[in-house]
Amino acid sequence: MKQVPFGALCAALVALGTAFGFLAIQLRTAGYEPYVQDIAFASIMMHFTAIMTAVTWARARRTH
């Protein structure tokens, strides 16, 4: 079975979450307050998903 690319997935999720975080900051400074909460939530969820991917990666390495 081919190894799952956990590292690339985790890095991509962190990059996407960081980009959403910067977008939320820019939207706040530009005065688009109604959208800030949704974009900030998406950023937090991307970082959380990256953490869960790293945990899955660690568990997969431990069992093999």
Side-chain angles (χ1 to χ4, degrees):
M1 186 166 128
K2 192 174 179 183
Q3 181 148 2
V4 181
F6 285 115
L9 178 62
C10 190
L13 287 169
V14 168
L16 187 60
T18 303
F20 278 152
F22 282 122
L23 178 62
I25 292 169
Q26 288 178 349
L27 287 174
R28 182 168 297 223
T29 58
Y32 290 101
E33 287 294 323
Y35 305 107
V36 171
Q37 185 176 4
D38 294 331
I39 299 298
F41 179 74
S43 173
I44 290 168
M45 291 310 296
M46 288 297 130
H47 283 101
F48 177 76
T49 305
I51 291 169
M52 291 296 106
T53 303
V55 168
T56 303
W57 187 8
R59 287 186 176 181
R61 290 186 59 130
R62 190 174 64 193
T63 58
H64 289 107

Short mmCIF file of all heavy atoms in Angstrom, two decimals:
data_model
loop_
_atom_site.label_atom_id
_atom_site.label_comp_id
_atom_site.label_asym_id
_atom_site.label_seq_id
_atom_site.Cartn_x
_atom_site.Cartn_y
_atom_site.Cartn_z
N MET A 1 0.84 -1.18 0.00
CA MET A 1 0.00 0.00 0.00
C MET A 1 0.89 1.24 0.00
O MET A 1 1.88 1.31 0.72
CB MET A 1 -0.89 -0.01 1.24
CG MET A 1 -1.91 1.08 1.25
SD MET A 1 -3.14 0.75 2.53
CE MET A 1 -3.09 2.28 3.40
N LYS A 2 0.51 2.21 -0.77
CA LYS A 2 1.28 3.44 -0.88
C LYS A 2 1.10 4.29 0.39
O LYS A 2 0.01 4.34 0.95
CB LYS A 2 0.78 4.22 -2.10
CG LYS A 2 1.66 5.35 -2.48
CD LYS A 2 1.14 5.96 -3.79
CE LYS A 2 1.99 7.13 -4.19
NZ LYS A 2 1.48 7.78 -5.39
N GLN A 3 2.17 4.95 0.81
CA GLN A 3 2.10 5.76 2.03
C GLN A 3 1.31 7.05 1.78
O GLN A 3 1.48 7.71 0.76
CB GLN A 3 3.51 6.12 2.50
CG GLN A 3 3.48 6.95 3.76
CD GLN A 3 4.67 6.68 4.64
OE1 GLN A 3 5.52 5.90 4.28
NE2 GLN A 3 4.72 7.31 5.78
N VAL A 4 0.46 7.38 2.73
CA VAL A 4 -0.36 8.58 2.62
C VAL A 4 0.52 9.80 2.86
O VAL A 4 1.33 9.82 3.79
CB VAL A 4 -1.49 8.52 3.67
CG1 VAL A 4 -2.37 9.74 3.58
CG2 VAL A 4 -2.31 7.26 3.50
N PRO A 5 0.39 10.86 2.06
CA PRO A 5 1.26 12.04 2.21
C PRO A 5 0.77 12.97 3.33
O PRO A 5 0.28 14.07 3.08
CB PRO A 5 1.15 12.71 0.84
CG PRO A 5 -0.21 12.34 0.36
CD PRO A 5 -0.45 10.94 0.88
N PHE A 6 0.89 12.50 4.57
CA PHE A 6 0.43 13.30 5.71
C PHE A 6 1.19 14.61 5.82
O PHE A 6 0.61 15.64 6.16
CB PHE A 6 0.59 12.52 7.02
CG PHE A 6 -0.41 11.44 7.21
CD1 PHE A 6 -0.03 10.11 7.25
CD2 PHE A 6 -1.75 11.74 7.38
CE1 PHE A 6 -0.95 9.11 7.44
CE2 PHE A 6 -2.69 10.73 7.57
CZ PHE A 6 -2.28 9.41 7.61
N GLY A 7 2.48 14.59 5.55
CA GLY A 7 3.29 15.81 5.69
C GLY A 7 2.85 16.89 4.73
O GLY A 7 2.69 18.06 5.12
N ALA A 8 2.65 16.54 3.49
CA ALA A 8 2.21 17.52 2.49
C ALA A 8 0.81 18.04 2.82
O ALA A 8 0.54 19.24 2.68
CB ALA A 8 2.24 16.90 1.11
N LEU A 9 -0.07 17.15 3.25
CA LEU A 9 -1.42 17.57 3.61
C LEU A 9 -1.40 18.51 4.80
O LEU A 9 -2.08 19.54 4.81
CB LEU A 9 -2.27 16.34 3.91
CG LEU A 9 -3.71 16.61 4.36
CD1 LEU A 9 -4.48 17.33 3.26
CD2 LEU A 9 -4.39 15.31 4.72
N CYS A 10 -0.62 18.19 5.80
CA CYS A 10 -0.52 19.03 7.00
C CYS A 10 0.05 20.41 6.64
O CYS A 10 -0.47 21.44 7.09
CB CYS A 10 0.34 18.33 8.03
SG CYS A 10 0.31 19.11 9.65
N ALA A 11 1.09 20.43 5.83
CA ALA A 11 1.69 21.71 5.43
C ALA A 11 0.72 22.55 4.61
O ALA A 11 0.63 23.78 4.80
CB ALA A 11 2.96 21.45 4.64
N ALA A 12 -0.03 21.92 3.73
CA ALA A 12 -1.00 22.65 2.92
C ALA A 12 -2.12 23.22 3.79
O ALA A 12 -2.56 24.36 3.58
CB ALA A 12 -1.58 21.74 1.85
N LEU A 13 -2.58 22.46 4.77
CA LEU A 13 -3.63 22.95 5.66
C LEU A 13 -3.15 24.12 6.51
O LEU A 13 -3.89 25.09 6.72
CB LEU A 13 -4.13 21.82 6.55
CG LEU A 13 -4.99 20.77 5.86
CD1 LEU A 13 -5.20 19.57 6.78
CD2 LEU A 13 -6.32 21.36 5.44
N VAL A 14 -1.92 24.05 6.99
CA VAL A 14 -1.37 25.17 7.77
C VAL A 14 -1.24 26.41 6.89
O VAL A 14 -1.57 27.52 7.33
CB VAL A 14 -0.01 24.77 8.40
CG1 VAL A 14 0.70 25.99 8.96
CG2 VAL A 14 -0.23 23.75 9.50
N ALA A 15 -0.77 26.24 5.67
CA ALA A 15 -0.63 27.38 4.76
C ALA A 15 -1.99 28.00 4.45
O ALA A 15 -2.14 29.23 4.45
CB ALA A 15 0.06 26.93 3.48
N LEU A 16 -2.99 27.15 4.21
CA LEU A 16 -4.33 27.66 3.93
C LEU A 16 -4.92 28.36 5.15
O LEU A 16 -5.53 29.43 5.02
CB LEU A 16 -5.23 26.51 3.49
CG LEU A 16 -6.61 26.87 2.99
CD1 LEU A 16 -6.53 27.79 1.78
CD2 LEU A 16 -7.38 25.62 2.63
N GLY A 17 -4.74 27.80 6.32
CA GLY A 17 -5.24 28.44 7.54
C GLY A 17 -4.57 29.77 7.80
O GLY A 17 -5.21 30.74 8.22
N THR A 18 -3.27 29.85 7.53
CA THR A 18 -2.55 31.10 7.71
C THR A 18 -3.03 32.15 6.71
O THR A 18 -3.21 33.32 7.06
CB THR A 18 -1.04 30.87 7.57
OG1 THR A 18 -0.65 29.88 8.52
CG2 THR A 18 -0.25 32.13 7.80
N ALA A 19 -3.24 31.73 5.47
CA ALA A 19 -3.75 32.66 4.46
C ALA A 19 -5.13 33.19 4.85
O ALA A 19 -5.41 34.39 4.71
CB ALA A 19 -3.81 31.97 3.10
N PHE A 20 -6.00 32.32 5.35
CA PHE A 20 -7.31 32.77 5.82
C PHE A 20 -7.19 33.72 7.00
O PHE A 20 -7.96 34.67 7.13
CB PHE A 20 -8.20 31.58 6.19
CG PHE A 20 -8.88 30.92 5.04
CD1 PHE A 20 -9.21 29.58 5.09
CD2 PHE A 20 -9.21 31.63 3.90
CE1 PHE A 20 -9.85 28.96 4.03
CE2 PHE A 20 -9.85 31.02 2.84
CZ PHE A 20 -10.17 29.68 2.91
N GLY A 21 -6.23 33.47 7.88
CA GLY A 21 -6.01 34.36 9.02
C GLY A 21 -5.61 35.75 8.56
O GLY A 21 -6.12 36.77 9.07
N PHE A 22 -4.68 35.83 7.61
CA PHE A 22 -4.27 37.14 7.09
C PHE A 22 -5.42 37.82 6.35
O PHE A 22 -5.58 39.03 6.42
CB PHE A 22 -3.05 37.00 6.19
CG PHE A 22 -1.76 36.84 6.95
CD1 PHE A 22 -0.98 35.73 6.75
CD2 PHE A 22 -1.34 37.79 7.86
CE1 PHE A 22 0.20 35.56 7.44
CE2 PHE A 22 -0.17 37.64 8.57
CZ PHE A 22 0.61 36.52 8.36
N LEU A 23 -6.23 37.03 5.64
CA LEU A 23 -7.39 37.60 4.97
C LEU A 23 -8.37 38.19 5.98
O LEU A 23 -8.93 39.27 5.75
CB LEU A 23 -8.08 36.53 4.12
CG LEU A 23 -9.35 36.98 3.39
CD1 LEU A 23 -9.05 38.10 2.40
CD2 LEU A 23 -9.99 35.79 2.69
N ALA A 24 -8.58 37.51 7.09
CA ALA A 24 -9.48 38.02 8.12
C ALA A 24 -8.97 39.35 8.68
O ALA A 24 -9.75 40.28 8.90
CB ALA A 24 -9.64 37.00 9.24
N ILE A 25 -7.65 39.44 8.88
CA ILE A 25 -7.08 40.69 9.38
C ILE A 25 -7.26 41.81 8.35
O ILE A 25 -7.63 42.94 8.70
CB ILE A 25 -5.58 40.49 9.72
CG1 ILE A 25 -5.45 39.58 10.92
CG2 ILE A 25 -4.90 41.83 9.98
CD1 ILE A 25 -4.03 39.11 11.18
N GLN A 26 -7.04 41.51 7.09
CA GLN A 26 -7.21 42.52 6.05
C GLN A 26 -8.66 42.95 5.92
O GLN A 26 -8.96 44.14 5.71
CB GLN A 26 -6.70 41.99 4.71
CG GLN A 26 -5.19 41.89 4.64
CD GLN A 26 -4.73 41.32 3.31
OE1 GLN A 26 -5.53 40.82 2.53
NE2 GLN A 26 -3.43 41.40 3.08
N LEU A 27 -9.58 42.00 6.03
CA LEU A 27 -11.00 42.36 5.96
C LEU A 27 -11.40 43.25 7.14
O LEU A 27 -12.21 44.17 6.97
CB LEU A 27 -11.87 41.10 5.94
CG LEU A 27 -11.86 40.30 4.64
CD1 LEU A 27 -12.64 39.01 4.83
CD2 LEU A 27 -12.43 41.11 3.50
N ARG A 28 -10.85 42.99 8.30
CA ARG A 28 -11.18 43.81 9.46
C ARG A 28 -10.68 45.23 9.28
O ARG A 28 -11.39 46.19 9.59
CB ARG A 28 -10.58 43.21 10.73
CG ARG A 28 -10.94 44.02 11.97
CD ARG A 28 -10.61 43.28 13.21
NE ARG A 28 -11.45 42.09 13.22
CZ ARG A 28 -12.07 41.64 14.29
NH1 ARG A 28 -11.94 42.27 15.43
NH2 ARG A 28 -12.80 40.56 14.24
N THR A 29 -9.46 45.37 8.76
CA THR A 29 -8.92 46.72 8.57
C THR A 29 -9.64 47.47 7.44
O THR A 29 -9.69 48.70 7.47
CB THR A 29 -7.41 46.69 8.27
OG1 THR A 29 -7.18 45.90 7.11
CG2 THR A 29 -6.64 46.12 9.45
N ALA A 30 -10.20 46.73 6.48
CA ALA A 30 -10.92 47.37 5.37
C ALA A 30 -12.38 47.66 5.72
O ALA A 30 -13.08 48.30 4.94
CB ALA A 30 -10.86 46.48 4.13
N GLY A 31 -12.83 47.19 6.87
CA GLY A 31 -14.19 47.49 7.30
C GLY A 31 -15.24 46.48 6.92
O GLY A 31 -16.44 46.77 7.00
N TYR A 32 -14.85 45.30 6.51
CA TYR A 32 -15.80 44.26 6.14
C TYR A 32 -16.09 43.36 7.33
O TYR A 32 -15.86 42.15 7.30
CB TYR A 32 -15.27 43.43 4.98
CG TYR A 32 -15.21 44.18 3.67
CD1 TYR A 32 -14.01 44.70 3.21
CD2 TYR A 32 -16.36 44.36 2.92
CE1 TYR A 32 -13.95 45.39 2.01
CE2 TYR A 32 -16.31 45.04 1.72
CZ TYR A 32 -15.11 45.56 1.27
OH TYR A 32 -15.05 46.25 0.09
N GLU A 33 -16.62 43.93 8.39
CA GLU A 33 -16.85 43.20 9.63
C GLU A 33 -17.78 41.99 9.50
O GLU A 33 -17.56 40.99 10.18
CB GLU A 33 -17.40 44.14 10.70
CG GLU A 33 -16.37 45.11 11.25
CD GLU A 33 -15.26 44.42 12.02
OE1 GLU A 33 -15.52 43.43 12.71
OE2 GLU A 33 -14.12 44.88 11.89
N PRO A 34 -18.82 42.02 8.66
CA PRO A 34 -19.70 40.84 8.60
C PRO A 34 -18.99 39.57 8.14
O PRO A 34 -19.45 38.47 8.45
CB PRO A 34 -20.77 41.24 7.59
CG PRO A 34 -20.75 42.72 7.55
CD PRO A 34 -19.34 43.12 7.84
N TYR A 35 -17.89 39.70 7.41
CA TYR A 35 -17.21 38.53 6.87
C TYR A 35 -16.05 38.04 7.73
O TYR A 35 -15.56 36.94 7.54
CB TYR A 35 -16.69 38.83 5.46
CG TYR A 35 -17.76 39.32 4.54
CD1 TYR A 35 -17.82 40.64 4.15
CD2 TYR A 35 -18.74 38.44 4.08
CE1 TYR A 35 -18.82 41.09 3.31
CE2 TYR A 35 -19.75 38.88 3.24
CZ TYR A 35 -19.78 40.21 2.86
OH TYR A 35 -20.77 40.64 2.03
N VAL A 36 -15.62 38.86 8.66
CA VAL A 36 -14.43 38.53 9.45
C VAL A 36 -14.64 37.27 10.28
O VAL A 36 -13.77 36.40 10.32
CB VAL A 36 -14.02 39.73 10.34
CG1 VAL A 36 -12.93 39.34 11.32
CG2 VAL A 36 -13.58 40.90 9.49
N GLN A 37 -15.78 37.14 10.91
CA GLN A 37 -16.03 35.99 11.78
C GLN A 37 -16.02 34.68 10.98
O GLN A 37 -15.45 33.69 11.43
CB GLN A 37 -17.35 36.15 12.50
CG GLN A 37 -17.62 35.06 13.50
CD GLN A 37 -18.89 35.30 14.28
OE1 GLN A 37 -19.62 36.25 14.02
NE2 GLN A 37 -19.17 34.43 15.22
N ASP A 38 -16.61 34.69 9.80
CA ASP A 38 -16.65 33.48 8.98
C ASP A 38 -15.25 33.09 8.50
O ASP A 38 -14.88 31.90 8.54
CB ASP A 38 -17.56 33.67 7.78
CG ASP A 38 -19.02 33.86 8.18
OD1 ASP A 38 -19.41 33.32 9.23
OD2 ASP A 38 -19.74 34.54 7.44
N ILE A 39 -14.48 34.05 8.06
CA ILE A 39 -13.13 33.76 7.57
C ILE A 39 -12.23 33.34 8.74
O ILE A 39 -11.41 32.42 8.59
CB ILE A 39 -12.54 34.99 6.84
CG1 ILE A 39 -13.40 35.34 5.62
CG2 ILE A 39 -11.11 34.74 6.42
CD1 ILE A 39 -13.47 34.26 4.58
N ALA A 40 -12.37 33.99 9.89
CA ALA A 40 -11.58 33.59 11.05
C ALA A 40 -11.92 32.17 11.49
O ALA A 40 -11.03 31.40 11.87
CB ALA A 40 -11.80 34.58 12.19
N PHE A 41 -13.19 31.81 11.44
CA PHE A 41 -13.60 30.45 11.78
C PHE A 41 -12.99 29.44 10.82
O PHE A 41 -12.51 28.38 11.24
CB PHE A 41 -15.13 30.34 11.78
CG PHE A 41 -15.62 28.96 12.09
CD1 PHE A 41 -15.57 28.47 13.39
CD2 PHE A 41 -16.12 28.14 11.09
CE1 PHE A 41 -16.01 27.19 13.68
CE2 PHE A 41 -16.57 26.87 11.37
CZ PHE A 41 -16.51 26.39 12.66
N ALA A 42 -12.99 29.77 9.53
CA ALA A 42 -12.38 28.88 8.54
C ALA A 42 -10.88 28.72 8.82
O ALA A 42 -10.34 27.62 8.69
CB ALA A 42 -12.60 29.42 7.13
N SER A 43 -10.23 29.80 9.21
CA SER A 43 -8.80 29.74 9.54
C SER A 43 -8.55 28.82 10.73
O SER A 43 -7.64 27.98 10.71
CB SER A 43 -8.28 31.14 9.85
OG SER A 43 -6.96 31.09 10.33
N ILE A 44 -9.36 28.96 11.75
CA ILE A 44 -9.20 28.13 12.95
C ILE A 44 -9.45 26.66 12.61
O ILE A 44 -8.72 25.78 13.07
CB ILE A 44 -10.15 28.62 14.06
CG1 ILE A 44 -9.68 29.97 14.58
CG2 ILE A 44 -10.24 27.62 15.19
CD1 ILE A 44 -10.68 30.68 15.46
N MET A 45 -10.46 26.41 11.79
CA MET A 45 -10.76 25.02 11.42
C MET A 45 -9.64 24.41 10.57
O MET A 45 -9.35 23.22 10.70
CB MET A 45 -12.09 24.94 10.68
CG MET A 45 -13.29 25.22 11.57
SD MET A 45 -13.32 24.27 13.11
CE MET A 45 -13.46 22.62 12.51
N MET A 46 -8.99 25.19 9.73
CA MET A 46 -7.87 24.68 8.94
C MET A 46 -6.70 24.31 9.87
O MET A 46 -6.07 23.26 9.69
CB MET A 46 -7.40 25.70 7.91
CG MET A 46 -8.33 25.91 6.77
SD MET A 46 -8.52 24.42 5.80
CE MET A 46 -10.28 24.34 5.72
N HIS A 47 -6.42 25.15 10.85
CA HIS A 47 -5.34 24.84 11.79
C HIS A 47 -5.69 23.61 12.64
O HIS A 47 -4.84 22.77 12.89
CB HIS A 47 -5.03 26.05 12.68
CG HIS A 47 -4.23 27.09 11.97
ND1 HIS A 47 -4.79 28.22 11.47
CD2 HIS A 47 -2.91 27.15 11.67
CE1 HIS A 47 -3.86 28.95 10.89
NE2 HIS A 47 -2.70 28.32 11.00
N PHE A 48 -6.94 23.52 13.07
CA PHE A 48 -7.37 22.36 13.85
C PHE A 48 -7.25 21.08 13.02
O PHE A 48 -6.78 20.05 13.51
CB PHE A 48 -8.82 22.56 14.33
CG PHE A 48 -9.36 21.37 15.07
CD1 PHE A 48 -8.97 21.13 16.37
CD2 PHE A 48 -10.24 20.50 14.46
CE1 PHE A 48 -9.46 20.03 17.06
CE2 PHE A 48 -10.74 19.40 15.13
CZ PHE A 48 -10.34 19.17 16.44
N THR A 49 -7.65 21.15 11.76
CA THR A 49 -7.55 19.99 10.89
C THR A 49 -6.10 19.59 10.67
O THR A 49 -5.76 18.41 10.61
CB THR A 49 -8.23 20.28 9.54
OG1 THR A 49 -9.58 20.69 9.80
CG2 THR A 49 -8.24 19.06 8.65
N ALA A 50 -5.20 20.59 10.58
CA ALA A 50 -3.78 20.29 10.44
C ALA A 50 -3.25 19.58 11.69
O ALA A 50 -2.46 18.63 11.58
CB ALA A 50 -2.99 21.58 10.20
N ILE A 51 -3.70 20.00 12.85
CA ILE A 51 -3.27 19.35 14.10
C ILE A 51 -3.79 17.91 14.14
O ILE A 51 -3.04 16.99 14.49
CB ILE A 51 -3.76 20.15 15.32
CG1 ILE A 51 -3.01 21.48 15.41
CG2 ILE A 51 -3.59 19.35 16.60
CD1 ILE A 51 -3.59 22.45 16.41
N MET A 52 -5.04 17.72 13.77
CA MET A 52 -5.60 16.36 13.76
C MET A 52 -4.90 15.49 12.72
O MET A 52 -4.71 14.29 12.93
CB MET A 52 -7.10 16.40 13.48
CG MET A 52 -7.92 17.00 14.61
SD MET A 52 -7.83 16.01 16.12
CE MET A 52 -6.76 16.99 17.13
N THR A 53 -4.48 16.06 11.60
CA THR A 53 -3.72 15.31 10.60
C THR A 53 -2.37 14.89 11.17
O THR A 53 -1.92 13.76 10.96
CB THR A 53 -3.53 16.16 9.33
OG1 THR A 53 -4.81 16.54 8.84
CG2 THR A 53 -2.78 15.40 8.26
N ALA A 54 -1.73 15.79 11.91
CA ALA A 54 -0.44 15.45 12.52
C ALA A 54 -0.60 14.34 13.56
O ALA A 54 0.24 13.45 13.67
CB ALA A 54 0.18 16.69 13.15
N VAL A 55 -1.69 14.37 14.32
CA VAL A 55 -1.95 13.32 15.30
C VAL A 55 -2.17 11.99 14.59
O VAL A 55 -1.64 10.95 15.01
CB VAL A 55 -3.17 13.70 16.18
CG1 VAL A 55 -3.64 12.52 17.01
CG2 VAL A 55 -2.82 14.87 17.08
N THR A 56 -2.93 12.02 13.51
CA THR A 56 -3.16 10.79 12.73
C THR A 56 -1.86 10.27 12.16
O THR A 56 -1.60 9.06 12.14
CB THR A 56 -4.17 11.07 11.60
OG1 THR A 56 -5.36 11.58 12.19
CG2 THR A 56 -4.47 9.82 10.82
N TRP A 57 -1.02 11.17 11.69
CA TRP A 57 0.28 10.80 11.15
C TRP A 57 1.14 10.11 12.22
O TRP A 57 1.75 9.06 11.98
CB TRP A 57 0.98 12.05 10.64
CG TRP A 57 2.25 11.85 9.90
CD1 TRP A 57 2.80 10.69 9.48
CD2 TRP A 57 3.14 12.88 9.49
NE1 TRP A 57 3.98 10.93 8.81
CE2 TRP A 57 4.22 12.27 8.81
CE3 TRP A 57 3.14 14.27 9.62
CZ2 TRP A 57 5.26 12.99 8.27
CZ3 TRP A 57 4.18 14.99 9.08
CH2 TRP A 57 5.23 14.35 8.41
N ALA A 58 1.15 10.68 13.42
CA ALA A 58 1.93 10.10 14.52
C ALA A 58 1.39 8.71 14.87
O ALA A 58 2.18 7.77 15.12
CB ALA A 58 1.90 11.02 15.73
N ARG A 59 0.09 8.56 14.93
CA ARG A 59 -0.50 7.27 15.26
C ARG A 59 -0.24 6.24 14.17
O ARG A 59 -0.03 5.06 14.45
CB ARG A 59 -1.99 7.40 15.51
CG ARG A 59 -2.29 8.08 16.82
CD ARG A 59 -3.76 8.06 17.10
NE ARG A 59 -4.04 8.63 18.40
CZ ARG A 59 -5.23 8.72 18.91
NH1 ARG A 59 -6.28 8.29 18.24
NH2 ARG A 59 -5.39 9.23 20.11
N ALA A 60 -0.29 6.66 12.91
CA ALA A 60 -0.03 5.73 11.82
C ALA A 60 1.42 5.26 11.83
O ALA A 60 1.70 4.10 11.54
CB ALA A 60 -0.36 6.41 10.49
N ARG A 61 2.33 6.14 12.17
CA ARG A 61 3.73 5.74 12.25
C ARG A 61 3.99 4.81 13.41
O ARG A 61 4.86 3.94 13.35
CB ARG A 61 4.63 6.98 12.36
CG ARG A 61 4.68 7.79 11.09
CD ARG A 61 5.68 8.89 11.25
NE ARG A 61 6.97 8.27 11.55
CZ ARG A 61 8.09 8.57 10.91
NH1 ARG A 61 8.08 9.48 10.00
NH2 ARG A 61 9.21 7.98 11.23
N ARG A 62 3.26 5.01 14.49
CA ARG A 62 3.47 4.18 15.68
C ARG A 62 2.99 2.75 15.45
O ARG A 62 3.57 1.81 15.97
CB ARG A 62 2.72 4.80 16.87
CG ARG A 62 3.07 4.15 18.19
CD ARG A 62 2.43 4.87 19.33
NE ARG A 62 0.98 4.75 19.20
CZ ARG A 62 0.13 5.45 19.89
NH1 ARG A 62 0.55 6.37 20.72
NH2 ARG A 62 -1.16 5.28 19.74
N THR A 63 1.92 2.57 14.67
CA THR A 63 1.38 1.23 14.48
C THR A 63 2.14 0.43 13.44
O THR A 63 2.01 -0.78 13.38
CB THR A 63 -0.11 1.30 14.06
OG1 THR A 63 -0.23 2.06 12.87
CG2 THR A 63 -0.94 1.92 15.15
N HIS A 64 2.96 1.09 12.60
CA HIS A 64 3.69 0.36 11.55
C HIS A 64 5.14 0.23 11.91
O HIS A 64 5.91 0.92 12.18
CB HIS A 64 3.54 1.05 10.21
CG HIS A 64 2.15 0.90 9.69
ND1 HIS A 64 1.26 1.94 9.68
CD2 HIS A 64 1.49 -0.16 9.17
CE1 HIS A 64 0.12 1.55 9.17
NE2 HIS A 64 0.23 0.26 8.86
#
